[in-house]
Amino acid sequence: MPKYSYFLLYALLLFSSFVFGQKKTLHTKLIDEKIIIDGKFDEKAWQSAEVATDFIMLNPDNGKPIAHEKRTEVRIVYDNTAVYVAAKLYDNEPNKILSELTLRDNFAVADHFGVWFNGFNDGQQEYRFFVSSAGVQQDGVYTEDKGEDFTIDAIWDSQVIMTDFGWAVEMKIPFAALRFSTEKKQTWGLNFYREIRSARQQYTWSFLDNKITNESTQAGILEGIESIKTPTRLFFIPYASQYLYTSSNEKTTGEFKGGLDIKYGINDAFTLDAILIPDFGQTKFDNVVLNLTAFEQQFTENRPFFTEGTDLFSKGNLLYTRRIGGLPLYKLGDNEDFVEGTNVKLLNAVKISGRTKNGLGIGVLNAVTENTAVDIINYETGDVRTETEPVANFNVFTLDQRFNKNSSVSLVNTNVTRDGEYRDANVSALVWDLNTKANTYNISGDYKYSYINETGDINNKTGFNTSLNLGETSGKYRYSVGGNYVSDDFDINDLGINFITHYHSLYANSSYRIINPTKRFNTFQAFLNGYSEFDNRTGRIQAGNLKLYFNITDKKNDYYGFGITACPLEVYDFYEPRSYNEEKFVTIPENYYTYFYFSSNYNRKFAIDVNPSITVFDEEDRITYGFSLIPRYRFNDKISLVYNFTYNQQDNNIGWIDFDDDGNTIFARRDRVTYINSVQGKYSVNNKMNFNLNLRYYWSYATNHEILTLMDDGSLEENTAYTENKNSNLNLWNLDLTYSWWFAPGSQVSVLYRNSSALFTRDFDKNFNNNLSDAVNNENLNHIFSISVRYFIDYNSVKNLKITKPKTRERF
């Protein structure tokens, strides 16, 4: 090899070591000039600001420098109120810049620019702010264990303009939207993000190595912020709502609701959030299903207060916020359910969270619910009984110590105290997540302890749950092994959610991925997982499976997923029989599940998702199969429509249906069919005004064709004496049509029209059209129309307002 070749190779290695081994640093400066957020960068302050450039590809070709014709140039300046960001995003093919308009926090089909701030530079949490080429804002918090959480909605300003060189974005992010230390001289973690949607390429300023899981530890550095005197962080959000309710069986009634949200920055690191007289009447409806399992259905949290900035409170997975102001904790009897719309009334809630300069995170969440009369209906007889849910106080307290920029140890406590002679609960947990300095190996786990103070003569209960996981978290090949032990009386269900207890489990996981594209694939991942679970009391195996699955993106950015799960042994289900203390069990035969998933590139106007699956049991004629078909069409950047059809059929499924008069556990061999049709549509007038349609029709039925008695050995014998009708037919219709207008920062007008029905029967026919007609029959529909106004008030904008008294006329 010629000498100059050695010299060139040495220079290249030296350059790569410098680029990828050093932390990029950007220096900012304090300004006294007013910045107008218009995307034009006319102010003098921008001319002398240091430039961040030389972006590097994150996906798909990790580590590849951005092309000169797609270069990105970013500047940052600040004053005592905010950080300002100006970005020029060059594109030599401006006609290919995609700019779909959507609701906030929906990335959709558009180019994006983002800035990521870590005010403590601890490598563990970033506040991320994005703006699409259509001017739509997205904001969220990134942590390694939870990834990106877009439930926060901070108040900040941005403006996008299209230019002859590509596009440009200007952002004003108030210090109130960030968290940082009280140090006089600040050093922040910093990264910038750019997505070129037409090519499905993602770039960052500070290189993110895909061989390392934690993104925050790979951030660059922002220096220059010092001696800032941030204004008082005190915000008020009063709101008022008017509701009209009507149905064919009831007169139209009205209800007015008003309340107040308060946000107060105790200091630059800690924030208090409070809601007084909350109103969640316009939150998205729940996707209820016909639940024939032994466990309650778990719902997604849609209420903003309980979704925004709750990462501290989610440590240890002890918190299921739907317990607060949700359904009562009553155990329902056979054929019973809560009357539709039943919820315990939430009086108020407050949360305080933040982090000290030494990395100690402190979080307190407290909520109070009102004494509430609860109606419970027996849908077999139609009888309604009323119970009382007492005043209750819900509390979560978290201490989370971060160290070494990638590790943490947390102490969590949850407590529920009910007024009078009612059940109280207390749960504590120690949680750890430890990583090596190079982020190559991880050890994580927890120990949880629960104490239930039961009512009357019922014995109090204590229980524990502990787990440990060891793994390699970097490179193309990764693996982990771990286990879990849960005692008989472990119970977090007063404020959390757990389904099964008295078991121990062991598992092992391995995976392979490509870091850079190949000739055929942009991405390729393969996973192999093994899991086994045993009942503590008998040693019987409850679950045992081996999973192999693949995720692939081809060169056209179409996605493919497929896999198989093998359960090659008989296992024993201690929960389906619904016996006292789960003493009985039913035998589940060996079975095999496989699926295929295809999702075409959403950049195309027409795209489609297809997902067939099948499960075959080692039992005559017992099989489960289904598919989902989701076509979507983007008419233009303002209008799009998504249709979702899902079908599932279970032949010769076996499940619990009742207890007979002699105390025998009655099962049934049944066929079950489920249809789900849903439509989501949107029309975006601009990036602040949207119309949205959300429609869902759900129909599921189960017909029992053989009655069985559960035996003590887990087998089933034919029962010809039981004759009650335990077939099930559930029709659910939900339609939401909404209008939303963000008329000022943090201020919104929203209008909702909703109609819905819920019909459960034992006797029915299997004609789809007849069931749909019943669901949408006006005799069965409930209608809601509501208008809500929220207005954001910054204390600093009103504290110096002068009230001018009207002049009085002089009398002659």
Side-chain angles (χ1 to χ4, degrees), residues 77 88 106 108 264 267 478 537 560 570 662 731 782 787:
V77 296
K88 291 183 178 180
N106 187 339
Y264 174 61
N267 56 33
R478 303 181 189 184
R537 304 161 303 178
Y560 302 83
E570 284 188 341
D662 297 324
N731 273 279
N782 298 302
I787 300 176

Side-chain angles (χ1 to χ4, degrees), residues 277-349:
I277 319 176
D279 174 21
F280 300 122
Q282 291 194 341
T283 54
K284 182 183 180 296
F285 59 78
D286 292 320
N287 290 333
V288 178
V289 301
L290 175 61
N291 184 10
L292 301 180
T293 72
F295 309 114
E296 66 177 293
Q297 184 182 353
Q298 187 172 359
F299 295 109
T300 302
E301 179 60 85
N302 295 313
R303 299 170 297 177
F305 178 85
F306 294 108
T307 60
E308 295 177 0
T310 57
D311 58 295
L312 269 177
F313 305 108
S314 64
K315 295 286 184 178
N317 295 317
L318 300 182
L319 178 62
Y320 175 46
T321 54
R322 290 297 295 264
R323 297 285 187 223
I324 305 172
L327 291 173
L329 198 61
Y330 284 107
K331 290 186 177 179
L332 300 174
D334 295 344
N335 307 321
E336 287 189 333
D337 202 353
F338 297 107
V339 173
E340 185 181 1
T342 296
N343 277 307
V344 178
K345 185 176 181 181
L346 177 64
L347 288 175
N348 56 67

Side-chain angles (χ1 to χ4, degrees), residues 24 53-58 61 63-73 88-91 193-196 201-205:
K24 281 188 174 181
T53 188
D54 298 327
F55 279 48
I56 302 167
M57 191 179 293
L58 171 61
D61 199 353
K64 181 179 179 180
I66 195 169
H68 178 74
E69 60 271 16
K70 307 286 187 184
R71 65 191 182 279
T72 307
E73 298 175 351
K88 291 183 178 180
L89 301 107
Y90 290 84
D91 196 320
Y193 169 91
R194 180 181 180 183
E195 179 177 5
I196 301 176
Q201 294 175 345
Q202 300 167 309
Y203 295 88
T204 57
W205 170 64

